[in-house]
Amino acid sequence: MPVSTCPCCASISAAQVSATVPFKCDQCGHRWRERLGREDHHEYYETLVARNDLQTPWFKRKIAERTAALSALLTPEVCRVLEVGCAEGELGSAIKARFAITYDGIELSLDGDHASKKLDRLFRTPAKNVVSDPYQLIVSFHVLEHIADPGNELMMWSRLLTPDGLLLIEVPNQAGHPLLSNDHNPEHLHQFTPASLTILLAKMGFSVCTLSLGNYESPVYPDSIRVTARRYPSADQQREQLLKRFHERLGGPFIAYGIGGDFHNYVAPLSDVLQIKGLLDASTTKRGQQVGRHRVTTYEAEIHGSYPVLICSIKFGADIRQDLESMGVPPRRIVGLNEIYDSP
């Protein structure tokens, strides 16, 4: 049997199941087949028309469910949305009727003629050729399984995202139906699993935020994987964002109280740039210890009273807060480490 490399996890243990069944990866479960037999299968899609029957109850159900899912992501910060594979533009039209946003689309088929009348801008070219200002949200429903190189396609989408932009992607879950073991649709070059889609996104620099199954596309594809994902920040970006949280909560120079494991794990690695003015601990065994450029001492109002106090312990935070307040530290000047590291 022919052997191939998995396009998602790069495993080389993948083999073709049979002459009529595509390659299957033993590691992530992904299945794939060769492209449609054309050098540029974009030309194939450019000839298609009326891909959806807009009057059927399943189409209306699909649009209603996608409208609800997309609406939940449209925070005030999202003002530009791109839909890759927007078909006739029905989803974009429904969203634009509810939100004052820019909604653009990419559609290769002749259905784009209808979409161009409903959306703000329509691109009749693959994403790799799109030139545009970046988008805060890019959505794509049942497109990625049609793409010969889904990793490269994700790179093209990433190029069009703002640095903190969000992807919403939906693809069939394996064959897309719980009663089918294989998807014989010749247009579908990939059959994703939750594992293979997550791995592919990670390989292309994205971190999955949410993942759900059982999303409806049609009677023959009632089970779809839907994920939202963001670009995974670099180490420098993570550090910058974390330092910003320290500054927002503490405002400037501060005193660190509780020089234990949490301090060494979550505060000390940033001590080269944090404005730490003193290290305090109630433990007699820690007093006098030299940690970095500071010696651990006890709280003295005359020396430390003008600074905010960071409680450097998650587990004992409530007890330390109580002790600090009993020593006369105003509650407004006490900040817990949890307040910095908790998700905003």
Side-chain angles (χ1 to χ4, degrees):
M1 286 289 181
V3 176
S4 184
T5 301
C6 177
C8 294
C9 73
S11 168
I12 59 172
S13 61
Q16 191 170 10
V17 177
S18 71
T20 58
V21 178
F23 292 99
K24 182 178 180 180
C25 178
D26 294 334
Q27 303 300 313
C28 67
H30 190 74
R31 292 188 178 197
W32 70 99
R33 58 164 57 93
E34 300 303 323
R35 64 175 69 219
L36 295 171
R38 301 165 178 81
E39 282 301 314
D40 185 357
H41 68 284
H42 297 133
E43 295 179 359
Y44 165 76
Y45 289 103
E46 290 170 358
T47 66
L48 303 180
V49 68
R51 303 272 278 165
N52 291 303
D53 187 343
L54 308 188
Q55 303 308 313
T56 59
W58 47 85
F59 179 82
K60 295 177 180 179
R61 173 183 171 182
K62 171 177 70 176
I63 293 299
E65 291 185 5
R66 291 178 182 178
T67 299
L70 187 48
S71 296
L73 302 177
L74 294 178
T75 61
E77 293 76 25
V78 178
C79 58
R80 288 175 52 79
V81 178
L82 175 68
E83 183 180 358
V84 181
C86 64
E88 306 88 352
E90 289 295 306
L91 176 58
S93 179
I95 292 296
K96 284 179 61 63
R98 294 166 173 78
F99 298 90
I101 61 172
T102 296
Y103 197 108
D104 297 344
I106 295 175
E107 181 57 43
L108 302 182
S109 79
L110 296 174
D111 291 335
D113 293 341
H114 298 285
S116 65
K117 301 172 184 176
K118 301 172 184 176
L119 307 184
D120 292 289
R121 187 178 181 187
L122 181 74
F123 299 99
R124 306 298 293 267
T125 182
K128 65 180 181 180
N129 299 327
V130 170
V131 178
S132 171
D133 291 336
Y135 298 89
Q136 290 87 24
L137 176 62
I138 294 180
V139 302
S140 176
F141 294 91
H142 291 253
V143 170
L144 205 58
E145 67 270 22
H146 295 255
I147 306 295
D149 187 344
N152 185 66
E153 185 70 11
L154 287 172
M155 270 200 333
M156 298 303 103
W157 298 356
S158 178
R159 178 181 61 86
L160 295 168
L161 268 180
T162 58
D164 59 347
L166 186 69
L167 281 182
L168 186 158
I169 299 172
E170 184 177 296
V171 294
N173 181 16
Q174 302 181 78
H177 196 290
L179 301 181
L180 297 176
S181 60
N182 186 47
D183 183 2
H184 293 283
N185 185 338
E187 292 183 2
H188 289 181
L189 307 181
H190 298 273
Q191 296 179 47
F192 290 94
T193 66
S196 72
L197 183 56
T198 300
I199 290 170
L200 177 64
L201 283 163
K203 188 168 72 172
M204 304 317 299
F206 286 93
S207 176
V208 170
C209 305
T210 64
L211 186 151
S212 63
L213 305 178
N215 298 287
Y216 185 87
E217 199 276 339
S218 69
V220 292
Y221 292 107
D223 180 19
S224 296
I225 308 167
R226 183 181 295 165
V227 300
T228 59
R230 295 187 188 276
R231 279 200 211 92
Y232 200 80
S234 67
D236 287 343
Q237 290 171 327
Q238 289 175 309
R239 181 181 171 91
E240 181 182 349
Q241 292 171 18
L242 187 54
L243 288 172
K244 180 180 178 183
R245 289 194 184 187
F246 272 91
H247 180 74
E248 288 173 347
R249 296 297 294 121
L250 294 162
F254 66 93
I255 303 298
Y257 195 106
I259 313 306
D262 285 347
F263 169 82
H264 290 290
N265 290 338
Y266 308 116
V267 180
L270 302 169
S271 61
D272 59 327
V273 290
L274 289 176
Q275 295 177 281
I276 301 174
K277 291 300 182 179
L279 304 180
L280 311 180
D281 202 287
S283 171
T284 57
T285 61
K286 293 180 182 177
R287 293 177 199 166
Q289 291 182 8
Q290 188 74 30
V291 180
R293 63 181 184 273
H294 296 287
R295 190 175 298 276
V296 180
T297 65
T298 57
Y299 180 80
E300 296 182 41
E302 302 80 20
I303 300 174
H304 308 118
S306 61
Y307 298 109
V309 179
L310 175 65
I311 299 173
C312 300
S313 174
I314 302 294
K315 182 177 181 179
F316 301 109
D319 293 336
I320 293 175
R321 183 180 293 273
Q322 188 174 9
D323 290 343
L324 287 169
E325 290 181 6
S326 70
M327 288 186 280
V329 181
R332 70 178 183 279
R333 288 203 294 106
I334 302 173
V335 178
L337 192 61
N338 60 295
E339 298 175 58
I340 293 174
Y341 276 91
D342 269 346
S343 297

